[in-house]
Amino acid sequence: QVQLVESGGGLVQAGGSLRLSCAASGSIFSINVMGWYRQAPGKQRELVARITRDGSTNYADSVKGRFTISRDNAKNTVYLQMNSLKPEDTTVYYCNAHGWDGSSWEQYWGQGTQVTVSS
């Protein structure tokens, strides 16, 4: 059993900052890519940022220059530092991990954390 536990969401004013964290635990022996996605009601889940085990990163154009993804491989934890937040960043953010459970590579998802940016 693998769990991704997210924390750090909340309510912030426009221009403010939040830091999301996601820790993987359970029967996961190696994690390749970790990332953050978000999904607004009625819309498809979209990539926000992802990071490989060796630190290579990708960002959605809408967050470049404002968000920074990082990870601690020893702790199986990924972070998302979100600065200069905008009301349009309001939605649920999901953590994702591509990990080896001992027999196969699988995609794992967190339960989601709400980020609300007020104008």
Side-chain angles (χ1 to χ4, degrees):
Q1 196 82 357
V2 176
Q3 283 188 317
L4 299 183
V5 179
E6 300 143 337
S7 61
L11 173 64
V12 65
Q13 287 189 331
S17 298
L18 284 174
R19 189 188 192 216
L20 305 183
S21 299
C22 171
S25 62
S27 301
I28 190 163
F29 298 99
S30 181
I31 301 177
N32 181 12
V33 182
M34 299 189 82
W36 291 94
Y37 290 71
R38 62 188 182 187
Q39 185 170 20
K43 294 189 176 182
Q44 284 191 327
R45 191 170 294 187
E46 63 175 7
L47 173 70
V48 176
R50 62 186 173 195
I51 183 168
T52 64
R53 187 170 183 84
D54 64 2
S56 297
T57 58
N58 294 98
Y59 294 92
D61 288 342
S62 59
V63 307
K64 281 181 182 177
R66 300 188 297 122
F67 291 10
T68 302
I69 191 170
S70 61
R71 66 188 280 177
D72 184 333
N73 291 331
K75 296 181 179 179
N76 283 341
T77 300
V78 63
Y79 307 95
L80 186 68
Q81 178 66 44
M82 304 185 293
N83 299 328
S84 302
L85 282 160
K86 304 176 181 180
E88 51 264 44
D89 295 317
T90 295
T91 189
V92 180
Y93 286 69
Y94 296 90
C95 175
N96 171 266
H98 183 227
W100 175 259
D101 65 3
S103 60
S104 62
W105 288 96
E106 302 288 347
Q107 293 282 353
Y108 301 99
W109 293 93
Q111 79 284 358
T113 185
Q114 177 70 43
V115 170
T116 302
V117 184
S118 63
S119 57

